[in-house]
């Protein structure tokens, strides 16, 4: 029996009492992935990206482990909810225009102490001040550095379009603006190198493209390490008591951790290891989050139909954004239909061994987005469900 066949048997036994659709997290794999992130971080704390988890119980589980510290959140409403739930160190990774949320933050000393907000433009400070509604708490601020690699005089750009702050001078100038502004305190710098941390460099059947990606990423790492160090020096000259410099992501943990300027690493997808994180030379994770759909039809030889399954992930549209049939091995989509809103035909010889009501297990493309489809996660240890916990959605929280 292959390892994947053994996993299927274990998941089927554990969920035999549950009707599909159903979502699970394999805690053995989850914990092993967490340990690997800590190992790769080389002693620097790992801040957990909540958008890649979207389940309070699992955030609590990973933060109880040595080597993890703090949450990187994705909306202000989520950040406030987490802070009220007892999480004491929440870094909002994206600028916000949530005026009511900023009003709550500025009026509550406990929230203001627990939460750090992201800016990359003085206009964001103006919006926060205009939202205070009389609240006078000092708002903790982090500056985001643009990590994109610019080549040929800026005519070619590699990387996400995020912050407008690219040079040390630009970041230092905004740092001075924050330092002069009453009601704000500059505490951190963040730089997310998504073109390194979030792009696989070992694409099956595409050796030339894989090599090109590795060359690009090596160039990007060298350029960013030098520029990030210069940014940190420039900002510390303005704010010598800077608390943290956050960088990295699941695919770049060990490379980013090796930079002296970086004090903490961000990661989250490496806990669930969705299908987009299969193609890396820097690490190998264990799939921990899966969902199952039930077989509801057998249209013919080599074909079964499962209920639903059309759960595309965010990003540029393409086949890599779709879930993949994972267990049993050997199933594939009908190219004329793909995964459907209500039903999904699957092709391949394993279909002939599936009965009505059997489960087909899938892996989602991006980590936490799976939790927007399910209100509970069934946590599996060995071949048993040992707990059932709500996702954000299951707690009535839909932040985006």
């Amino acid at each position: 029996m292959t390892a994947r066949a053994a996993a299927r048997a274990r998941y089927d036994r554990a969920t035999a009492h549950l009707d599909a659709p159903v979502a699970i997290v394999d805690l053995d794999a989850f914990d092993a992935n967490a340990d690997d992130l800590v190992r790769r971080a080389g002693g620097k704390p790992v801040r957990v990206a909540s958008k890649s988890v979207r389940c309070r119980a699992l955030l609590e589980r990973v933060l109880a482990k040595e080597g993890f510290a703090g949450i990187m959140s994705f909306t202000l409403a989520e950040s406030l909810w987490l802070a009220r739930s007892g999480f004491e160190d929440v870094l909002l990774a994206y600028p916000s225009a949530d005026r009511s949320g900023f009003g709550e933050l500025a009026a509550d000393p406990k929230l203001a102490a627990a939460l750090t907000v992201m800016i990359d433009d003085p206009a964001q400070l103006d919006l926060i001040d205009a939202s205070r509604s009389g609240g006078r708490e000092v708002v903790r601020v982090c500056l985001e550095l643009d990590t994109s690699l610019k080549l040929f005089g800026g005519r070619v750009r590699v990387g996400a379009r995020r912050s407008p702050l690219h040079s040390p001078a630009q970041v230092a100038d905004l740092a001075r603006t924050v330092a002069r502004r009453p009601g704000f305190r500059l505490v951190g710098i963040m730089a997310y190198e998504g073109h390194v941390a979030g792009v696989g460099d070992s694409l099956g059947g595409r050796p030339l493209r894989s090599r090109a990606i590795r060359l690009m990423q090596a160039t990007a790492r060298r350029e960013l390490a030098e520029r990030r160090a210069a940014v940190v020096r420039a900002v510390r000259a303005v704010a010598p008591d800077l608390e943290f410099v956050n960088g990295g992501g699941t695919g770049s943990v060990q490379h980013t951790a090796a930079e002296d300027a970086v004090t903490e690493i961000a990661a989250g997808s490496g806990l669930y290891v969705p299908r987009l994180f299969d193609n890396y030379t820097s690490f190998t994770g264990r799939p921990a989050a899966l969902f199952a759909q039930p077989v509801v039809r057998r249209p013919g030889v080599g074909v079964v139909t499962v209920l639903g399954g059309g759960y595309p992930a965010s990003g540029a549209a393409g086949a890599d954004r779709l879930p993949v049939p994972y267990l049993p091995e050997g199933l594939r989509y009908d190219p004329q239909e793909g995964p459907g809103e209500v039903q999904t035909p699957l092709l391949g010889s394993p279909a002939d061994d599936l009965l009505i009501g059997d489960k087909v297990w899938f892996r989602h493309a991006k980590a936490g987005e799976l939790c927007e489809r399910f209100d509970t996660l069934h946590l599996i240890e060995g071949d048993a469900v040992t707990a059932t916990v709500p996702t954000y959605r299951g707690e009535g929280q839909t932040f985006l």
Side-chain angles (χ1 to χ4, degrees), residues 25-303:
V25 171
D26 182 338
L27 290 180
D28 297 331
F30 181 90
D31 290 342
N33 292 334
D35 292 343
D36 189 60
L37 287 172
V38 171
R39 178 190 62 80
R40 290 198 287 138
K44 292 185 177 179
V46 178
R47 184 181 290 273
V48 183
S50 63
K51 75 177 183 64
S52 300
V53 178
R54 304 194 200 199
C55 171
R56 278 200 303 165
L58 290 175
L59 288 173
E60 291 168 353
R61 183 183 183 91
V62 72
L63 285 170
K65 293 178 175 292
E66 187 174 352
F68 289 88
I71 287 176
M72 177 177 282
S73 58
F74 60 96
T75 74
L76 182 55
E78 180 214 14
S79 306
L80 296 170
W81 179 65
L82 290 173
R84 290 194 182 97
S85 300
F87 295 95
E88 298 178 347
D89 179 5
V90 182
L91 169 62
L92 175 57
Y94 307 88
S96 176
D98 181 351
R99 291 176 173 83
S100 63
F102 282 127
E104 294 177 40
L105 177 65
D108 189 317
K110 287 188 176 181
L111 294 178
L115 178 56
T116 302
V117 304
M118 192 68 60
I119 70 161
D120 55 32
D121 189 312
Q124 293 151 353
L125 299 176
D126 295 339
L127 187 146
I128 295 170
D129 268 340
S131 306
R132 286 181 178 271
S133 301
R136 297 184 178 181
E137 295 301 321
V138 172
V139 175
R140 293 165 53 85
V141 168
C142 179
L143 307 182
E144 181 170 2
L145 169 67
D146 170 43
T147 65
S148 63
L149 175 65
K150 296 184 178 182
L151 303 170
F152 306 109
R155 292 189 296 275
V156 175
R157 174 194 179 102
V158 181
R161 296 182 181 274
R162 291 177 64 115
S163 170
L165 306 176
H166 190 80
S167 70
Q170 289 174 313
V171 185
D173 186 57
L174 186 53
R176 283 188 287 271
T177 298
V178 176
R180 291 193 297 263
R181 189 126 176 186
F184 296 93
R185 182 157 68 93
L186 177 58
V187 298
I189 300 171
M190 188 195 83
Y192 172 58
E193 52 269 40
H195 50 301
V196 178
V199 177
D201 62 352
S202 180
L203 309 180
R206 306 181 72 181
L208 293 180
R209 179 163 178 78
S210 297
R211 183 180 179 189
I213 291 172
R214 287 194 290 271
L215 289 172
M216 176 277 290
Q217 291 180 338
T219 301
R221 287 197 302 268
R222 288 193 297 270
E223 185 276 336
L224 179 59
E226 182 178 327
R227 182 159 52 90
R228 180 154 41 199
V231 165
V232 172
R233 288 194 298 271
V235 172
R236 286 196 184 279
V238 178
D241 57 347
L242 201 67
E243 295 177 14
F244 64 86
V245 177
N246 181 282
T250 289
S252 70
V253 171
Q254 64 267 44
H255 301 298
T256 307
E259 296 182 33
D260 291 337
V262 174
T263 66
E264 64 175 40
I265 307 300
S269 295
L271 296 168
Y272 288 168
V273 187
R275 62 165 295 204
L276 281 178
F277 285 82
D278 285 347
N279 304 314
Y280 285 79
T281 58
S282 61
F283 81 105
T284 301
R286 291 172 55 182
L290 300 94
F291 68 94
Q293 303 293 89
V295 173
V296 292
R297 287 178 171 167
R298 292 172 50 87
V301 175
V303 187

